[in-house]
Amino acid sequence: MIRFRLTELIADKAFKERRVVSLSEVAQATGIHRATLSKMSNQPGANIGSDIIDKLCAYFRCQPGDLLTYIESDAGDMDDRSP
């Protein structure tokens, strides 16, 4: 499963800039709806398009690998897939 590190990136930005950075601020700066950002923060595995990843990478000045992390799912959570 893919997990977004949005919350961590916001916290890092807030720390570096010594101020509060809100989801609303990120939404306004990127043009991404606040509800989408909230879903990314709160729902691991949310289906997010590459255009949104692109906008967030530009905003945070990071690479996609800084925004996304892969977490192995339990074997029971996987669909039956034939090789």
Side-chain angles (χ1 to χ4, degrees):
M1 159 183 351
I2 301 295
R3 185 178 78 75
F4 294 97
R5 297 187 60 249
L6 181 60
T7 303
E8 292 94 329
L9 290 175
I10 290 173
D12 289 345
K13 183 175 180 65
F15 179 77
K16 289 176 186 173
E17 296 180 6
R18 296 181 181 185
R19 63 185 187 87
V20 173
V21 177
S22 67
L23 278 182
S24 296
E25 177 184 335
V26 177
Q28 185 175 18
T30 61
I32 301 169
H33 198 280
R34 189 187 179 291
T36 301
L37 295 173
S38 181
K39 183 166 84 169
M40 291 176 70
S41 295
N42 298 311
Q43 294 179 10
N47 189 6
I48 302 299
S50 60
D51 57 328
I52 292 174
I53 294 168
D54 182 61
K55 289 177 183 181
L56 289 171
C57 286
Y59 177 75
F60 289 110
R61 296 186 176 123
C62 69
Q63 294 296 312
D66 299 325
L67 179 62
L68 310 166
T69 187
Y70 174 74
I71 300 172
E72 279 193 49
S73 298
D74 292 338
D77 292 343
M78 298 295 289
D79 298 333
D80 283 344
R81 297 182 184 147
S82 312

